[in-house]
Amino acid sequence: MSKGTRSWQRWVVVVLVLAFYAGFRLRSFPQPAVHLSRAVPVSRSSQPDQVSATVHHQPLDPPFQPPSPAPPPQSPQKVVAPAAEARGAGSGVTLAVCTRLRNEARYLPEWIEFHLLAGVEFFYIYDDSSTDGSVEVLEPYVRAGVARVWTVTDHSHDAEHGQFGHRDECTQHNVMNATWIAMIDADEFLFPTVGYNVTRHLLTQCNPDLSFLMVRWHMYGSNGVARRPDGSLVTDLYRMHSRVDSKICPEDVMGCFDIEPPLSTKLIVNTRCVRRMGTHYVTELRRDGGGDTCFNIYHPRGSKVTRLKKDRPIAEEQQSTCVAPLHLNHYAVKSREDYLQKFQRGRISRGEKDVKVQQRLRLASVARPPAVHTRLTHARFRNSQAGLAVVNKTTGQVSLKPLPAAAVSMFLGDDAGSAKPPTLSHVEQQLLDICVNEFRKRDFSELLDESAIKFVPRLRERLKLLTSSEEGNPSPYTLEPERPRAPRTVAPACFDGAGKTAVSAAPPSKPSANSPIVFIHIPKCAGTNLNLQLAAIAKRVKHKYCEVRTTDAHKVLPTGLKKSAGGCGIVSGEFDVSILNGIRKGIGSDKARPQPITFLRDPIARTASQFEHHLSRERYHDDGAQTRTETLLTLVSPQRCHQLERRQTERCGELTNPLKCRANGWCGIFQNQQVEILAGAMSFKSTKAEVLRRSGDQLLCTAQQNLASFPFFGIAEHYRSSMCLFFHTFSMGAIFDECCASSVTDGGGSQECAILDIRTAENSAKDSNRKSSGRGGYISQYTESLDLLAAMYDGNRLDCELYASSMLTFTRRIRDMEVRRGLAAGHFSPDPDASTSPAAGSLCERALAQYRRAKESDEGS
């Protein structure tokens, strides 16, 4: 080859390299994030906007002001954002929200009103070609001065919207001069776990030089809801989110994207400190305009796998006090119907992937044409070539093809009774398979978390005000005050036709001499002593006593359950009520059903005793009264404990029976455990558990229904009276005469009773005196702190309600026993004079009073 030829080839190579590099630089250079039209929103009655030129990094135009009807009687600004009014025009806001949305009209009012209640002062909203009236829903907020809206007209970078999207526009053109901007989506709700106001939290708990916060989201599932109920609130209807395993996703890792559902974070950025960002992480910090004083507590920057900088003390301090107390509820699924609509309209970041799926299907169809050339296979071949996605040639917007009615019915479960599945084309089946797969990756309803419902009462008031204020312009959001009724599969008698009012419970089952007694042992409710006494009682009445070890509960049952064949007469274990199904099958007779019994205890005392138990097992360090109080405060508070969610897996593994955590994680051991056990939430299959645990009210109602059907239950604070009721209920007349004929008080009595004098010498708590619960002893050290007392009620509200209603039933049964035995009224405690409110002196009553005071203080501030 000649020298001239080699020289020419070198120049070709150089030119190609330079061209490639130039193209790469053009690609890498920051592009305009979105193309913005000038006048949005546009009123239906106004002329179409004639200006559609794009704006590249220019100050955003003022929002369009349509001919406004009369403003609402109370605008969102005046009602919920008083700080904005006091601030004055042009002086900036503390917290704004930035989002990009498409077709969210149904839920936009709730989302905006929720965040106004939570202290957000302004909204930057980029509308992505919505066709459902979203723009019209936003008009009142634009007029009220709490929102600005722009339309996205360029979709060429949708798949890279982290780098080229609206978030950078919000910080670069921060027209309201917001100090902090929360980068969240329209299905994400941000609020503080303590109190109500995010802005106040940022001002009081966060360092002003902190560059950004990475707030972990909680992924909420469908909670078993197939179709969206009219008038329901997202924050009220969906109350269960996914459980995160700390062994899979370490605590110091901010986001774990390879698990299902993925654990991710969203950003709250300090506009003085952040220049560019992706969806879940920051890519570039500012070093000018005051940004030189900012600091970052995460590393590495610009990566999904971001960790907390544990080598910096300020990092852990800010994460603990500033970031962790913020909740971000991500309602990615809602009902199946909602998810189907969201899936078919396509996600902004998946448009390019959907097109690639379409292209792969075309190539596969061409490579493998149908072998049998029938009319049907030709039709399917043409359908498969058509692909999954539809691209708007004008805007570049990608949406999935609609599913046929048959596929929709399959996904919603409407065809459950159909014997023959519908016939779907290749493309339709592909779409349905993808939809189901994507849904399963997100639909996790495992932990009951009702921390957001504190906003619901005010939210309903605000939404009623909005829907009635716009005469002649009905809102697409219709509001009805009640949640949908409880599903028929669980506790059907709990609710009336309106969906909420409790109705009378079924009468208790009659005791039977041929059926085994099953003691459902709720931890720290006098069960240890009762087990010893039940063993003695069984020996006395010539029954076989069978106690299931804690490690075997819900795993192993006694082999001989037929009492008539010399099997167990009394079965005991740390079960929940779902074990009754297994015992019923073991008995093998419809006539010999198990007879459940249990003991309840004042929930505040039970929780303190439970904590003392874990102290004695050295699961927590006992560094004095203040440390004990602070630790228990975190465990019992629904707002605080879920911050430590990823630590819970390791704690649960330390238990003799980790199934105790199945109901509501490690927090559930200290929160509403009596209700959880009596509702059967520990061991139900996931499909039934998500129905059962749809709300705390439903969980409570189911527990009340189950308890009311028990032939006997006792109260730990009235132990001796309870045991006399036990002897009476199960016709143990000789033991009753020995232990209960004389006047009985629960502090003891003069009558000798060998069985009731049997007690364990071991007690994990520091004080075994039963009267210590409320009258001194180790319980009092936890009730002296008013903050802890309020938190214990907050975490045990359901248990306290169950305890109060059960005390009324217990007192009635005691009075009935006195009448049937011919004894004077008041022979047993509780005193008959307290029958109208036997729990009036309980710790729950004290805790409720303190909880109300704390709540009024929070709402007032």
Side-chain angles (χ1 to χ4, degrees):
M1 184 179 293
S2 66
K3 183 175 181 182
T5 302
R6 288 196 300 269
S7 176
W8 174 81
Q9 288 178 338
R10 290 194 191 102
W11 278 110
V12 170
V13 171
V14 169
V15 170
L16 289 175
V17 170
L18 290 175
F20 175 80
Y21 181 72
F24 176 78
R25 290 290 296 167
L26 288 172
R27 176 71 170 168
S28 302
F29 191 79
Q31 301 293 319
V34 291
H35 289 202
L36 309 173
S37 66
R38 179 172 175 236
V40 180
V42 179
S43 172
R44 293 286 187 188
S45 60
S46 63
Q47 295 296 323
D49 183 16
Q50 300 299 319
V51 181
S52 59
T54 58
V55 180
H56 301 284
H57 302 290
Q58 299 297 322
L60 299 178
D61 294 331
F64 176 77
Q65 298 293 337
S68 59
Q74 292 177 301
S75 69
Q77 181 181 6
K78 292 183 179 180
V79 175
V80 204
E85 186 176 7
R87 179 178 61 245
S91 59
V93 301
T94 300
L95 176 63
V97 159
C98 175
T99 194
R100 177 175 174 177
L101 57 87
R102 181 194 301 170
N103 290 343
E104 295 283 356
R106 180 180 179 87
Y107 298 111
L108 261 180
E110 178 185 358
W111 184 77
I112 292 180
E113 291 295 331
F114 180 95
H115 286 102
L116 288 172
L117 285 170
V120 173
E121 297 166 281
F122 204 82
F123 297 86
Y124 298 144
I125 298 177
Y126 293 84
D127 178 66
D128 186 18
S129 307
S130 293
T131 58
D132 67 341
S134 294
V135 168
E136 287 73 17
V137 171
L138 293 168
E139 283 183 1
Y141 299 98
V142 174
R143 292 198 301 272
V146 295
R148 290 195 179 185
V149 185
W150 299 271
T151 295
V152 180
T153 59
D154 177 19
H155 295 270
S156 60
H157 297 294
D158 280 357
E160 307 158 286
H161 71 295
Q163 175 67 25
F164 296 98
H166 61 284
R167 298 172 184 84
D168 294 344
E169 289 283 343
C170 283
T171 56
Q172 293 167 11
H173 305 301
N174 181 12
V175 293
M176 294 303 293
N177 195 27
T179 304
W180 300 91
I181 301 181
M183 306 295 179
I184 60 177
D185 295 335
D187 59 359
E188 296 168 343
F189 290 71
L190 176 69
F191 61 98
T193 55
V194 179
Y196 292 80
N197 196 294
V198 181
T199 298
R200 181 176 293 107
H201 175 84
L202 292 171
L203 291 173
T204 59
Q205 303 299 323
C206 301
N207 192 304
D209 288 329
L210 180 61
S211 295
F212 58 94
L213 290 67
M214 300 186 75
V215 184
R216 297 187 185 112
W217 69 30
H218 295 279
M219 182 79 82
Y220 281 71
S222 68
N223 290 200
V225 180
R227 293 185 179 274
R228 55 189 179 204
D230 288 336
S232 58
L233 295 177
V234 172
T235 46
D236 191 15
L237 180 61
Y238 306 102
R239 304 190 183 191
M240 290 186 289
H241 60 70
S242 60
R243 189 194 308 265
V244 178
D245 192 332
S246 60
K247 295 180 181 179
I248 300 175
C249 187
E251 183 186 350
D252 64 329
V253 177
M254 303 312 299
C256 297
F257 295 86
D258 297 328
I259 63 175
E260 292 183 0
L263 176 70
S264 187
T265 59
K266 284 301 181 71
L267 302 171
I268 303 178
V269 302
N270 189 330
T271 57
R272 179 171 54 86
C273 306
V274 175
R275 185 184 301 277
R276 297 191 181 279
M277 70 207 79
T279 306
H280 306 286
Y281 48 85
V282 167
T283 59
E284 183 180 349
L285 298 175
R286 293 182 183 275
R287 294 305 177 194
D288 56 355
D292 54 331
T293 63
C294 299
F295 65 91
N296 173 30
I297 62 175
Y298 308 103
H299 72 95
R301 192 171 68 248
S303 169
K304 283 187 175 183
V305 186
T306 307
R307 293 179 178 268
L308 186 68
K309 292 182 177 180
K310 287 192 172 183
D311 56 336
R312 297 190 63 182
I314 194 172
E316 289 197 341
E317 184 269 330
Q318 283 292 288
Q319 183 69 15
S320 173
T321 62
C322 169
V323 183
L326 291 176
H327 249 238
L328 184 64
N329 289 3
H330 186 197
Y331 301 96
V333 174
K334 302 186 182 79
S335 68
R336 278 180 169 260
E337 183 182 21
D338 281 300
Y339 181 78
L340 184 61
Q341 183 180 24
K342 178 179 179 179
F343 171 79
Q344 293 198 155
R345 74 174 180 241
R347 286 176 291 168
I348 295 172
S349 60
R350 285 195 58 89
E352 185 174 302
K353 296 179 182 179
D354 292 333
V355 173
K356 289 180 179 179
V357 170
Q358 170 185 327
Q359 293 170 346
R360 285 199 301 270
L361 283 175
R362 285 180 177 173
L363 291 173
S365 300
V366 173
R368 293 185 299 273
V372 181
H373 295 280
T374 64
R375 182 177 301 177
L376 180 60
T377 54
H378 272 299
R380 291 182 175 176
F381 176 64
R382 289 193 298 270
N383 284 335
S384 65
Q385 280 189 311
L388 304 179
V390 178
V391 182
N392 187 313
K393 295 181 180 179
T394 303
T395 65
Q397 190 179 49
V398 178
S399 59
L400 294 176
K401 287 190 173 182
L403 284 170
V408 171
S409 296
M410 288 180 65
F411 184 74
L412 296 180
D414 295 341
D415 66 334
S418 176
K420 183 179 179 181
T423 302
L424 302 176
S425 70
H426 178 69
V427 170
E428 292 167 349
Q429 189 63 55
Q430 286 279 343
L431 279 170
L432 181 60
D433 291 345
I434 294 173
C435 182
V436 171
N437 184 54
E438 294 287 321
F439 179 78
R440 287 175 176 171
K441 288 180 179 179
R442 293 162 176 79
D443 185 32
F444 287 78
S445 304
E446 299 168 310
L447 294 181
L448 182 65
D449 183 352
E450 300 181 309
S451 53
I453 65 173
K454 61 185 178 183
F455 291 93
V456 167
R458 289 187 180 183
L459 199 52
R460 291 193 182 280
E461 293 176 6
R462 291 291 303 144
L463 290 171
K464 285 180 183 178
L465 197 156
L466 283 176
T467 54
S468 62
S469 64
E470 298 286 342
E471 296 183 4
N473 183 23
S475 169
Y477 190 99
T478 58
L479 185 75
E480 297 175 3
E482 303 293 347
R483 288 196 305 278
R485 63 181 303 172
R488 296 178 183 177
T489 54
V490 179
C494 287
F495 300 92
D496 63 9
K500 194 170 184 181
T501 307
V503 297
S504 59
S509 58
K510 295 182 179 180
S512 170
N514 297 320
S515 302
I517 296 171
V518 180
F519 173 42
I520 302 208
H521 180 183
I522 302 175
K524 316 315 298 180
C525 291
T528 305
N529 285 329
L530 182 59
N531 276 326
L532 296 174
Q533 294 167 10
L534 286 176
I537 292 169
K539 186 176 182 180
R540 175 79 176 269
V541 298
K542 298 180 180 180
H543 286 173
K544 183 179 179 181
Y545 174 72
C546 304
E547 183 176 358
V548 178
R549 295 185 304 173
T550 302
T551 52
D552 294 333
H554 286 282
K555 300 175 183 176
V556 178
L557 284 176
T559 54
L561 286 173
K562 291 187 178 181
K563 183 179 177 182
S564 59
C568 302
I570 300 177
V571 180
S572 174
E574 289 191 0
F575 312 123
D576 69 12
V577 296
S578 65
I579 200 67
L580 298 176
N581 294 326
I583 293 178
R584 191 175 295 119
K585 292 178 181 178
I587 295 173
S589 171
D590 293 336
K591 296 182 179 179
R593 293 179 173 272
Q595 304 178 95
I597 67 170
T598 195
F599 261 77
L600 303 180
R601 186 180 183 183
D602 185 299
I604 307 302
R606 195 210 73 83
T607 302
S609 179
Q610 182 76 79
F611 181 62
E612 286 280 329
H613 170 79
H614 290 290
L615 280 178
S616 70
R617 298 296 191 273
E618 297 183 348
R619 294 189 179 114
Y620 292 99
H621 297 293
D622 190 352
D623 296 329
Q626 183 176 355
T627 302
R628 290 194 298 269
T629 298
E630 291 175 353
T631 303
L632 184 55
L633 181 64
T634 299
L635 293 172
V636 299
S637 171
Q639 286 76 26
R640 297 172 188 258
C641 190
H642 281 292
Q643 299 170 27
L644 310 177
E645 182 182 314
R646 285 192 282 177
R647 298 181 191 175
Q648 294 182 37
T649 307
E650 297 173 6
R651 292 289 188 195
C652 291
E654 298 171 1
L655 298 174
T656 52
N657 185 4
L659 281 176
K660 293 179 181 179
C661 285
R662 192 168 182 176
N664 214 32
W666 181 255
C667 298
I669 296 175
F670 303 93
Q671 300 174 21
N672 294 319
Q673 188 169 41
Q674 295 177 88
V675 164
E676 296 277 7
I677 290 174
L678 292 173
M682 285 174 56
S683 56
F684 274 145
K685 294 180 179 179
S686 59
T687 53
K688 195 169 185 180
E690 71 178 12
V691 174
L692 171 70
R693 302 171 55 76
R694 187 168 292 176
S695 72
D697 291 336
Q698 185 164 306
L699 200 65
L700 170 63
C701 181
T702 303
Q704 289 174 328
Q705 289 285 306
N706 290 334
L707 186 64
S709 68
F710 284 22
F712 165 81
F713 67 85
I715 301 294
E717 285 75 19
H718 302 280
Y719 187 79
R720 290 184 70 90
S721 296
S722 296
M723 291 306 298
C724 290
L725 181 60
F726 174 82
F727 302 142
H728 168 75
T729 301
F730 292 101
S731 302
M732 300 176 183
I735 302 178
F736 183 92
D737 292 339
E738 290 177 14
C739 301
C740 308
S742 299
S743 180
V744 173
T745 61
D746 291 300
S750 57
Q751 186 171 2
E752 294 184 2
C753 181
I755 286 180
L756 295 186
D757 289 337
I758 300 174
R759 297 197 177 188
T760 178
E762 299 179 1
N763 196 315
S764 61
K766 306 293 189 278
D767 186 342
S768 61
N769 178 12
R770 291 191 177 281
K771 293 189 176 181
S772 65
S773 55
R775 300 187 179 96
Y778 74 91
I779 300 293
S780 63
Q781 66 177 302
Y782 298 106
T783 59
E784 290 172 355
S785 168
L786 298 182
D787 289 341
L788 178 56
L789 195 61
M792 283 199 285
Y793 179 83
D794 193 16
N796 290 276
R797 176 185 67 84
L798 304 181
D799 269 11
C800 283
E801 292 188 26
L802 176 69
Y803 182 78
S805 63
S806 300
M807 277 294 296
L808 292 171
T809 302
F810 175 74
T811 304
R812 287 195 296 267
R813 292 184 180 183
I814 289 289
R815 299 285 81 81
D816 180 69
M817 177 176 63
E818 290 173 340
V819 171
R820 291 177 180 273
R821 290 281 176 175
L823 301 172
H827 183 87
F828 300 100
S829 66
D831 191 287
D833 294 336
S835 60
T836 56
S837 181
S842 71
L843 292 173
C844 273
E845 290 291 324
R846 288 176 51 196
L848 173 59
Q850 181 56 33
Y851 170 77
R852 286 172 173 168
R853 284 192 289 268
K855 188 174 181 180
E856 289 172 358
S857 176
D858 285 342
E859 290 177 349
S861 62

